[in-house]
Structure formats: C-alpha cells, structure tokens
Amino acid sequence: MNNIGINYHSILPEAITAGVALLIMLVDAFMRRIERRIAGAIALAGLTGAAAALYTLRNQDGVTSFNSMIIVDDFRLIFAGIFLIATFLTVLISLRWIEDEQLPTGEYFALLMFATTGMLLMASANDLVMIFLGLEITSISTYVLCGFRRSDTRSNESAVKYFILGSFSTAFLLYGIAFIYGATYHAAATPVATTNLQLIKERVAAGHLFSPEMLFAGAAMMLVGFGFKVASAPFHIWSPDVYEGAPTPVTAFLSTGSKAAAFASFARVFILTFTATSLTGALSDLHSVATNTLAVMAALTMTIGNLVAITQTNIKRMLAYSSIAHAGYVMVGMAAADWKAVAFYLLSYVVINLGAFGVIEVIARRGDKQTEIADYSGIGFRSLGLSATLSLFLLSLAGIPLTAGFMGKLLVFKSAWASGFHALVVIAVINSAISWYYYLKVVVVMFFSEPQAEFKAPRVARSLIAALLLAIIGTLYLGVLPGRVLRALDQATDQLKAARK
Amino acid sequence: MDNYLLTIITLLPVAGAVALVAVGRGEKPNANAMRWTALLTSLATFAVSLLLPLKFNSSAGLQFEQNLPWIDAFDLGVRYHVGVDGLSLWLVVLTTFLVPIALISSWNSINFRLREYLISMLALETGMIGVFVAMDMFLFYLFWEVMLVPMYFLIGVWGGERRIYAAVKFVIYTVVGSLLMLAAIIALYYLHGQATNNFTFDIATITESLKSHAFTLPLNEQRWLFWGFAIAFLIKVPLFPFHTWLPDAHVEAPTAGSVLLAGVLLKMGTYGLMRFNLPMFPDASRKYATFICALAVIGIIYGALVAMVQPDLKKLVAYSSVSHLGFVVLGIFSFTDQGLQGALYQMLNHGISTGALFMIVGFIYDRRHTRLISEFGGLANVMPVFSALFLVVTLSSIALPLLNGFVGEFLVLVGAFTSTTLPNAKLFTSLAATGMILSAVYMLWMYQRVVMGEVKNDKNRELTDIDFRERLALAPMIILIFVMGIYPALFLSRSDRAIADIRARVVPSAKVVAMTENFDNSK
C-alpha cells in the first residue's frame, strides 16, 4: 500500500459491476447481437458477485482508501445492498420486456450496470467529489435509459426533460460543493481547503472555517441539488413527466434504485457530516436550520405528492406522484437524522415499488399501451394472480400492517417522534390516510368495476414471475419478520462510529 | 394448551381460508364443498372459543395469555401478546358465534365468486378476533387495519348498487381514524419508554405502569393521546357526527357483511374506548366526558328520528344502530360500574339483535329483491313463523323487559343517572331515555307496516315462509335474546372484575375525585 492508499479490495463491488458492464458490451460487439438471456445472466451474475464482494468487506469498518475518497462502513454496505437488490429486480423484470420491445439488449443491460456502478460509488464516497462522480455516472446512464425507446416520442420527451433538468440540478450541487470547499479554508489552522467529508466535519466542529455563511450557502445549494435528485418538493416537477414517458422498467429503476442512491449521498452529507456534531458559535444554527428545512421539505413533499396523485388517471404518473410522496416520508427520517430508518424505508420501498412496476409492465404490453387506470377495469377476477399481487403492493405502499410498507413507516415515524417532530408525524399520518384513497382506487377499478374492453390475461414470463415472487416474499418478510434485518441495521456502524474506534 | 387457545381461535379461520384455496376445485367448482368447509371452520372456531367462558376465572384478570417476543431491534419491543379478560371474553365469543350464523344465513344468496367470498369472511373473522385478543398495541393496530381489507372486498364486490362509494367511504373513514391512532400509539410507546426505560407496545404493561405511577401522564399529554385514540374509536362506533359512513356501508354490504359490521365491527370502537381511553387517560376521559356524552345523546335522538322516516328497511336498521351505540357510549362515559357493565352488555345485545334484524331483512330481500317498507304489508298472513321471530327481535331491539335489550339499556340509564363524575348526568339520562321511546316508535311502526294488516301487494301473496336453513340461522339468536334477558348474571359475573378495574382507574373513589377536581380548579 502506498501513501495515497490504493486498496482495490475496497472498490471491488464497483469494479465488478463496471467490469460486467464492459463485458456485456464486448460480448455484444463480438456476437453481433447478444441474446437477452446471456446478457441478463451476465448482469445477474455480476450483481451476485458484487454482493459477495460487499460481504467480504463487512469487517473492514472505517477503513478509508484512495486518499480517503472511499470509505468502508456499514452505512455503505447497507445502501449498496439495497442498490444491488434494486438492480437485480430491474434486470429480472426487463429480461422478457427487452425482447418484446425489440430494443438493443446489450446496451440496455450495460447502461443498467453502469448506473449501478455510479450508485455504488455514491454510497461508498467519503468525498464530495466522489459523490459528484458517482452521481454523474448514474445520471448519464439513466438519461440514456429514459430515451431508450427511440421511436416513441414520449420516451424522447422523458429523456430530454430529465437531461436538461438533471444537468441543471447537478450544476447546483457542484456549485454547492465549490462553496463548501472554499469555506473549509482557514488561514491559521487549516490552510488547505478540502472536499473530504470527515475533514469537513472536523473543521465545522472546530469552527475552522473561512466563513460560516459560505458553508451555509454551499449547504443550501447542495440541498437544492439533492432535492432535485430525490424529487422532493419544491424540486419535484420533473419527475412525473420523466416517469410517465420512460419505458416502464426504467421508471421502476429510476423511482427506486437511483432515488435510493441519491438519498444515500444525501444522508451521508446531511446526516453524517453537517448535522452530526454539536456545533457552537455562528454554526450552532446549522443543525437546526438543516433539520427544520428538511422537515418543511418533507411536509411539502408528502402533501403535494399525495394530493396530486389523487387526480391522476395514468397509473405510471400516479406512481410517480406516489414516489414523490414516499420521498417525503423518507425526508421525515432525514429530518430526524436517522439514516437507519431511512435505509429500512428505502429497502422496503425498493422491493414493493419494483414489484408494482413489474405487474404494470406486464399489463401495459408492448409499447406501454395500457397504462391508463381505466385499462385496469374489471381485470381483477380475469387475471386474479396479477391483480392480487398488484393489490398487495399497492396496499403495502399505503402502509398496511404485515407488509414492508408499514414497518418502514413505523420506524420513520417513531424516530421522527423521538426527535421531537411531533407535528411532522401527524402530517405524515394524515398523508398516509390520503394515500389510501388513490391506491385503493386502482383496486376498486380492478375488482369492483365492469370490464370495459376485451381483456386477455397476459402471458407472464418466467423471469418476471421470479421477480414478482421475490418482491412478494420480500414485502411479507420485511413486514412479518423484520427482526433479523432490523437487528442488523440496529448494530450497523457509520463513519462517525467507525472514526471513533 | 390454555396458552395456545387464543392463538388457535384466532388462526383457525385463516387456516380454513387457506384450505378454501384448494377445496372444490375441478371442472365444475363444487360450491357446497366450499360452503361446508367455511361453515365447519367457523363452527370449529366457535366450539373452541366456548372453552374460554367455561374455563374463565371470574376473579382473575388477563387470562389464556401467550406472550412471545416478536421484533426486538431498535427498542421496538413488539411482542406477540394475546389474552382475554372480562372485557374481551364475550366479544370474542360473540364474534365466533356470529360468523357461522352469517354464513348459514347467506348460504344461497352469494353465487358470484363464492370462493373469494368465503375466504374474505374467514379472513375477516381472524381480524375481528385478533382485535379483541391483542394485548400489544402493535398487534392491535395490525389486526385493526388488516381487517379492513376483507371487509372492503365484501362490500365492494358483493355489495349493492352503490357499493364502490360505500366501500371507499368505509375504508377512508376508518383509515383516517386509525392513522391518527398510530401516531398516538407511537407517542404513548415513546413516552412510556422514556419514563420507565422499558420500550414496549404492551397494553397490559403500560396500563400497569400507569396504575403504579411508574409512568404518569400530565393532563396536557393525556389530552392529545386521548383524542388520537378516541377519534379512531368514535369513527368506528360511530358517534354522531362521524356516523355518515355507516348507513352507506350497512346498506350496500351483503347481508352477512352487514351482520358482522353491525354485530362486531362497531363494537371494536367501544371496546377500544374501554381498553385504551378510560384506563390509560382517565383525567382526559373525565374532562371530555360531557362533550362526548352530549354527542352520544344527540346520536341517540338523531339516529332514532332519522330511522323513523326511512323508507328502506336496511337503512332503518342502520340508523337504529347509531342510536343504540349512543347508549353504549353514554354508559362508558358515565364512569359507573352499572354504566360500564350496561355498555358492555349492550354491545353484546346490539350484536345479536341488530345482527338478527339484518338477517331478517336479508331473508325478505332474497324473496322480493326490495327492501322498501311500502312494498310490504300483511306478511303475518303468508309468513307466520317469520313474523313471530321478527316480533321477538323487534321487541328485543326496543328493550322489552325479559329480553336482552332491556338489561343493557336499563343498566346504562341507571349508571348514567347515578353518576357523580359526569356533569349534567341527569339531563343526559333523561334525554337518552326519550331515545328509548323513539326506538319503540320506529321499530313498532316499521313492524306494523311490514307484517300487520292485510296483504296489499299481490307479489307478497306468493311468499314462502322461512325454511329450515333460515330458521336454523335465526334460532340461536332468539334463544340468546331470551337467555340474556332472563339470566344476565351468566354474562355479567364474568366481566365484573374487568369493569371494576376500568372504573377504578377513572374514579378511584369519591374522595380522590373531589381532590383532583379541586386541584384542576386551582390551576
């Protein structure tokens, strides 16, 4: 090991997913046209390998490498695990779809794996520059994925909107990083500015700053940038259009995997760096300003997401607003500065939402034709398996006990209450009540309405059945027997604890 | 064995529902095999649940307990804790009793998606039993919410014309209340954990810490928690003005759904008040008793007046429920032993008489496909047995002495009248008593228009009297109406202790009350 700390083991998961992405492209090039099963198998094997690599890192708590750019802590491992689950399920629900749509298989899976690489880097980053790098790798891959159905104008619109607004928000983030970098310069004590999160935290705690106002400004701009990425109000406007237009499996991936990744960085910066230490002097406000802003954003996000979701007639658009609402619940956990509740919430949301999108994809058919809620009229008893599965996921999103959705909400609400955000919890429960209405609307249409048009039960591919079964098992497992996962989370460490060792 | 008794009772119906997935499959689905599976399951559940009152020890508190750790990470301390005491004992039995009857009464009326219907009924039974036996707030909330799903489908799929509206309204009303309750549960859990360093959702533990003052709630905190729980329960009861979901849900639900809705679901609200609000937030309960009793009395009179003018039989019965449940709430907030006993007894009575009324309405609806009172008249001439049984149920509903309704309402009124804790108790009681008169008016007038006189409508001449199956469904209800009216001690003796415990939490003794009141005034 040399002085900048090159440690390939610590980036093994990222290396595997990136390598797999390249491998898929190579195989694609040499085979002229890659078979979807081969590409899918390579991707799934890569994800499993990355998971195994993560597992080997579990005992290296607090180890930093690459000049402290990369950190190994439980925070990273847990979030990385969530991303891998998200991509795994996305691959499964895309396997059949990609052939039906006659889209280029190799590129699709390669882009998916690149996006995953970026997400993994976002969780392992211990430096603002590294976060930016991961974010860009993810974003650029997903811009392309959104416009993947090239002949479809909706898909194109989705990609362009996502690209323009995404770049705009990235600029905010970068600007914020620059401000923070500048703020950490202190002529006497620390004459070298830094983007390293641990150093930033130390300097903030010690008050060794060029100017506290500059740090505030930087933090505010980063908040805007992250706010865009997680689609929280008032920066959520892009997401419904993008989600509606993007191909369904891509929407599923965007609303779960890449959103979870944005939350991982968000939590790393805001929970573990800015609000983690007790501050004094001019900075004593930072903690309360940050958490209160997050709380207000959470309340706004939930309320707007849920209220607008009620009026939607397109199921993808409805789930886009529902996704905004769920970002709001996660923000409640952010305000409470409890990343463990955030992680559990995201894990359950990833599993449930990918399951729901899996069903929607089958019912939508080729070219996303049937995505209006009216298209679901009376399919309940004609395709009982699919409808019952979708109902389970929707009820779980609404937060019915015995499913993952309820446990996630309970944890988030509990830690928000313990942090004194009582009004926020009440707003959140009222929002949950509102959300029942639109989730149930789909169930009503499926089971209680008369069928409108000829509906033939679709054939469900085996890979999709596997994905749905995994999602069902995950939803019920996290809802009925969450003990094991919760214990693991409870004992998890983060950079703070790791540094203290 | 006794430890597992409640778990068996709770899970037996679900086991039956799982079996139903496979039973009667084939070229031509075997409807009778499915019906018998469901019926035998519910009868077996009832048979097992009869062990509860037989083995019940009237002088002990919580019994048949099973208490296992469930989720212990993050200080959650969620336990699988079930048990019954005098408060929940009869409600469990009422539930297991009504389900087989509801199944028999709707034996032939469901022809569409029978398998799913029966599965929903059995799943609903598990949810209802679970609510009454859960001794952990997490578990309680779980059953409370999960039970919504089968009820939602029962109304939405097998209901009447406006079923979608009714189903959605039912769920949204309930969910708004229950989510506020969730916030209150989290708050209570957190406050208790902070005070005693024992983070738990266990109802018995929290009540015990409150009783021993290891955990005290100042009035200001009690106020919020009280309403968090109370709104959920009062919507479910339903107390005026939260009652508007009830006529819709009752009218649109299929007969068996209405029977369980009126028979059991409404009791979950009043049960919750007695399980949570009174023992846990006694000061807030006393403070808001006047307000709630005023609403209860309005509900009694308003429900009765609206019932009087209903042209539709099922709507009439639905509004009479609003009126009857008002008595229950009045009894609870009288904070006297008689009032609370009467409330509990009235819960059972209402379950039986209103359940029977809904079945009766269902029987004539199956024959005529209308529920309009004006379509009937003179049924006594063509359906004598039916008319006789109908009369017994009607009289039970208007609380004729020797029948069950009398015991409950009398206890409630005595309790409320003698209450020293409830301000204006005498005024409330007098007004509530007029509700009894009104109930006689609307019930007897309805009975007169449907059953008495000559047959005016020719369609009614062809009606057949109720058959063996229908008599079988009604007979146990009629028997109970008499048994509960003549020998109430059989039931009351088992709930004495639980009721006294609850009353003692709110009104420890006359002297202490006076002191706290002075204390409050001095603030």
Side-chain angles (χ1 to χ4, degrees):
Chain A
M1 211 190 260
N2 57 28
N3 56 352
I4 64 160
I6 289 179
N7 174 358
Y8 291 112
H9 188 195
S10 70
I11 55 157
L12 195 56
E14 288 83 355
I16 290 176
T17 50
V20 162
L22 293 171
L23 180 67
I24 293 174
M25 289 171 83
L26 278 176
V27 176
D28 193 22
F30 284 108
M31 284 180 65
R32 286 185 61 82
R33 197 177 152 71
I34 193 166
E35 230 263 313
R36 67 181 173 93
R37 288 204 179 81
I38 297 174
I42 296 174
L44 292 179
L47 292 167
T48 317
L54 273 180
Y55 188 72
T56 63
L57 284 171
R58 74 195 181 285
N59 289 326
Q60 304 197 0
D61 222 12
V63 173
T64 57
S65 49
F66 295 98
N67 220 352
S68 287
M69 285 272 185
I70 300 287
I71 188 169
V72 186
D73 56 5
D74 287 346
F75 177 95
R76 168 193 176 182
L77 299 185
I78 286 165
F79 274 99
I82 296 173
F83 307 153
L84 292 178
I85 291 171
T87 315
F88 195 90
L89 289 174
T90 311
V91 170
L92 280 180
I93 66 172
S94 326
L95 262 175
R96 176 79 198 197
W97 167 86
I98 194 85
E99 186 176 82
D100 291 349
E101 299 274 339
Q102 297 188 328
L103 293 172
T105 314
E107 291 163 35
Y108 177 80
F109 285 115
L111 282 167
L112 211 52
M113 296 308 285
F114 277 129
T116 310
T117 310
M119 283 152 50
L120 291 175
L121 281 176
M122 284 166 82
S124 51
N126 192 33
D127 193 293
L128 292 174
V129 173
M130 205 63 213
I131 287 179
F132 178 72
L133 203 68
L135 191 75
E136 278 301 271
I137 298 175
T138 313
S139 300
I140 292 171
S141 315
T142 46
Y143 298 150
V144 183
L145 283 172
C146 280
F148 212 65
R149 214 168 33 223
R150 271 167 298 196
S151 53
D152 183 351
T153 47
R154 284 179 304 169
S155 184
N156 284 312
E157 179 196 344
S158 162
V160 171
K161 275 193 176 154
Y162 192 29
F163 173 65
I164 293 173
L165 289 169
S167 319
F168 191 56
S169 71
T170 313
F172 266 95
L173 197 70
L174 201 53
Y175 208 12
I177 292 175
F179 265 71
I180 288 170
Y181 177 71
T184 54
Y185 171 84
H186 189 267
T190 51
V192 180
T194 182
T195 51
N196 181 286
L197 289 172
Q198 271 160 336
L199 291 178
I200 293 174
K201 183 163 64 68
E202 282 163 19
R203 290 181 195 183
V204 169
H208 291 159
L209 293 174
F210 178 72
S211 125
E213 287 79 12
M214 204 158 151
L215 186 82
F216 268 61
M221 282 199 218
M222 287 198 75
L223 193 65
V224 174
F226 282 128
F228 260 107
K229 293 293 175 194
V230 302
S232 81
F235 315 112
H236 64 283
I237 311 286
W238 60 274
S239 77
D241 287 341
V242 172
Y243 285 10
E244 187 185 354
T248 307
V250 177
T251 310
F253 184 69
L254 279 182
S255 68
T256 54
S258 76
K259 180 172 278 195
F263 266 116
S265 297
F266 199 172
R268 177 80 88 182
V269 173
F270 275 81
I271 296 182
L272 296 183
T273 306
F274 287 159
T275 61
T277 41
S278 49
L279 302 168
T280 50
L283 284 166
S284 59
D285 290 343
L286 184 61
H287 185 273
S288 64
V289 169
T291 49
N292 286 335
T293 313
L294 285 173
V296 171
M297 282 172 74
L300 268 180
T301 311
M302 290 184 285
T303 312
I304 292 177
N306 278 319
L307 287 181
V308 184
I310 290 178
T311 61
Q312 299 308 314
T313 55
N314 180 297
I315 193 156
K316 279 169 78 179
R317 215 174 160 80
M318 188 198 91
L319 282 183
Y321 281 104
S322 127
S323 179
I324 293 171
H326 282 276
Y329 303 129
V330 180
M331 299 277 286
V332 173
M334 295 282 299
D338 182 352
W339 70 264
K340 293 174 178 180
V342 166
F344 188 87
Y345 198 98
L346 285 169
L347 173 64
S348 54
Y349 180 66
V350 160
V351 173
I352 306 163
N353 217 37
L354 275 165
F357 271 110
V359 180
I360 288 168
E361 178 210 303
V362 188
I363 291 172
R365 310 281 168 93
R366 220 188 131 197
D368 274 356
K369 287 197 195 75
Q370 299 191 19
T371 54
E372 293 300 312
I373 294 177
D375 294 328
Y376 286 71
S377 296
I379 69 170
F381 290 119
R382 297 175 180 209
S383 195
L384 190 60
L386 278 179
S387 317
T389 309
L390 184 58
S391 304
L392 171 74
F393 293 136
L394 291 174
L395 287 173
S396 185
L397 285 174
I400 196 155
L402 284 185
T403 65
F406 174 68
M407 280 312 299
K409 278 196 175 133
L410 182 74
L411 277 189
V412 166
F413 296 170
K414 166 184 161 294
S415 59
W417 191 278
S419 313
F421 288 104
H422 300 179
L424 193 60
V425 173
V426 173
I427 295 174
V429 296
I430 292 173
N431 264 291
S432 300
I434 298 172
S435 75
W436 275 78
Y437 180 78
Y438 61 84
Y439 291 125
L440 280 185
K441 193 165 77 175
V442 181
V443 180
V444 165
V445 169
M446 286 197 296
F447 284 97
F448 306 166
S449 302
E450 292 305 315
Q452 283 189 337
E454 194 68 13
F455 177 83
K456 265 181 36 212
R459 264 196 53 229
V460 188
R462 259 172 299 173
S463 54
L464 192 80
I465 292 179
L468 291 181
L469 276 180
L470 284 176
I472 292 173
I473 292 170
T475 305
L476 295 177
Y477 178 72
L478 292 175
V480 181
L481 299 167
R484 186 182 289 261
V485 177
L486 287 177
R487 257 196 305 280
L489 265 175
D490 204 8
Q491 289 154 6
T493 60
D494 50 47
Q495 65 187 33
L496 296 173
K497 279 194 196 139
R500 233 176 275 142
K501 269 205 224 165
Chain B
M1 171 61 197
D2 278 4
N3 294 346
Y4 287 94
L5 203 54
L6 287 173
T7 305
I8 294 170
I9 295 171
T10 314
L11 294 183
L12 249 181
V14 159
V18 172
L20 267 173
V21 173
V23 168
R25 293 252 183 225
E27 285 287 293
K28 202 171 161 290
N30 187 345
N32 272 330
M34 292 190 252
R35 290 190 183 112
W36 277 106
T37 310
L39 181 62
L40 289 178
T41 309
S42 62
L43 281 175
T45 315
F46 176 56
V48 179
S49 74
L50 280 182
L51 288 175
L52 295 177
L54 288 177
K55 291 184 160 191
F56 191 81
N57 178 357
S58 305
S59 53
L62 209 55
Q63 295 165 52
F64 309 103
E65 276 183 275
Q66 188 167 28
N67 194 347
L68 304 167
W70 185 6
I71 306 167
D72 47 10
F74 280 106
D75 284 341
L76 275 174
V78 174
R79 302 184 73 84
Y80 174 80
H81 185 188
V82 292
V84 287
D85 59 5
L87 179 57
S88 47
L89 171 73
W90 290 113
L91 293 168
V92 173
V93 181
L94 175 74
T95 310
T96 57
F97 169 74
L98 281 178
V99 173
I101 287 184
L103 284 172
I104 296 173
S105 78
S106 62
W107 196 258
N108 293 323
S109 24
I110 303 293
N111 298 312
F112 171 70
R113 290 277 154 193
L114 180 69
R115 184 190 311 278
E116 288 79 3
Y117 169 79
L118 295 170
I119 290 176
S120 302
M121 287 290 282
L122 291 177
L124 180 65
E125 181 174 11
T126 286
M128 296 186 300
I129 299 172
V131 166
F132 293 128
V133 300
M135 275 296 138
D136 184 284
M137 291 191 290
F138 183 94
L139 198 63
F140 176 83
Y141 182 80
L142 183 154
F143 283 118
W144 179 276
E145 286 269 280
V146 168
M147 189 209 58
L148 280 179
V149 178
M151 196 66 221
Y152 172 68
F153 279 99
L154 279 175
I155 301 176
V157 178
W158 296 277
E161 241 157 54
R162 292 169 66 239
R163 59 182 190 274
I164 296 177
Y165 172 75
V168 173
K169 194 168 175 184
F170 165 72
V171 170
I172 297 296
Y173 265 67
T174 313
V175 159
V176 169
S178 58
L179 281 163
L180 289 174
M181 177 168 75
L182 177 64
I185 287 176
I186 292 173
L188 185 61
Y189 148 86
Y190 183 72
L191 287 170
H192 177 261
Q194 252 190 340
T196 62
N197 206 18
N198 175 14
F199 283 91
T200 178
F201 285 95
D202 197 89
I203 297 169
T205 310
I206 293 179
T207 314
E208 211 45 53
S209 324
L210 280 164
K211 207 186 264 177
S212 66
H213 299 286
F215 169 45
T216 51
L217 285 168
L219 183 62
N220 192 34
E221 280 168 4
Q222 279 189 31
R223 198 185 311 217
W224 292 103
L225 293 169
F226 176 87
W227 282 113
F229 280 98
I231 289 176
F233 298 142
L234 294 177
I235 288 176
K236 202 80 172 184
V237 168
L239 190 75
F240 177 88
F242 304 117
H243 66 283
T244 61
W245 65 268
L246 178 129
D248 289 311
H250 271 68
V251 170
E252 300 307 325
T255 302
S258 305
V259 171
L260 294 181
L261 201 54
V264 184
L265 263 75
L266 305 188
K267 277 69 202 187
M268 289 171 13
T270 41
Y271 166 77
L273 290 172
M274 290 166 89
R275 174 69 75 203
F276 293 92
N277 288 58
L278 263 54
M280 289 185 181
F281 322 117
D283 302 320
S285 298
R286 280 199 303 274
K287 185 172 166 66
Y288 296 113
T290 319
F291 179 64
I292 290 179
C293 284
L295 290 179
V297 169
I298 294 174
I300 292 173
I301 296 171
Y302 170 85
L305 289 175
V306 178
M308 210 180 290
V309 297
Q310 291 306 316
D312 181 306
L313 277 170
K314 220 172 173 183
K315 261 205 159 123
L316 186 146
V317 181
Y319 276 104
S320 81
S321 289
V322 177
S323 183
H324 283 138
L325 267 296
F327 277 101
V328 178
V329 174
L330 181 66
I332 291 174
F333 282 89
S334 72
F335 310 125
T336 54
D337 285 337
Q338 292 97 326
L340 284 159
Q341 273 284 20
L344 182 57
Y345 207 60
Q346 195 56 11
M347 280 152 73
L348 304 175
N349 291 336
H350 179 261
I352 289 163
S353 359
T354 309
L357 278 173
F358 275 122
M359 272 162 51
I360 283 169
V361 175
F363 292 159
I364 52 177
Y365 181 78
D366 282 347
R367 286 171 171 69
R368 283 287 320 276
H369 294 284
T370 177
R371 292 184 300 251
L372 290 178
I373 296 174
S374 57
E375 287 281 318
F376 297 101
L379 288 190
N381 301 311
V382 284
M383 302 170 74
V385 179
F386 167 84
S387 305
L389 297 182
F390 191 3
L391 182 64
V392 176
V393 178
T394 305
L395 293 176
S396 146
S397 179
I398 58 181
L400 190 80
L402 275 189
L403 300 182
N404 60 350
F406 176 73
V407 182
E409 291 198 358
F410 185 75
L411 278 172
V412 166
L413 291 175
V414 168
F417 195 76
T418 56
S419 174
T420 49
T421 324
L422 175 68
N424 304 320
K426 301 207 165 40
L427 174 70
F428 284 136
T429 318
S430 323
L431 289 171
T434 61
M436 283 184 82
I437 302 168
L438 289 173
S439 85
V441 174
Y442 66 78
M443 287 305 290
L444 289 177
W445 190 34
M446 180 269 288
Y447 186 80
Q448 181 197 348
R449 284 179 292 165
V450 172
V451 175
M452 315 287 255
E454 291 301 311
V455 181
K456 290 190 207 80
N457 192 327
D458 282 340
K459 286 182 196 152
N460 292 334
R461 283 185 214 286
E462 308 299 315
L463 292 183
T464 50
D465 208 342
I466 51 174
D467 59 19
F468 176 71
R469 173 184 62 82
E470 289 164 327
R471 285 176 208 191
L472 190 67
L474 217 42
M477 314 276 257
I478 303 288
I479 294 171
L480 265 180
I481 285 174
F482 281 107
V483 172
M484 292 181 73
I486 295 168
Y487 188 51
L490 178 66
F491 300 86
L492 294 177
S493 63
R494 289 182 170 76
S495 51
D496 268 341
R497 193 199 131 115
I499 294 296
D501 281 352
I502 295 171
R503 197 264 308 139
R505 283 290 298 145
V506 192
V507 191
S509 73
K511 206 172 178 185
V512 178
V513 174
M515 275 167 61
T516 16
E517 271 172 4
N518 287 338
F519 179 66
D520 276 347
N521 291 340
S522 66
K523 272 203 286 196

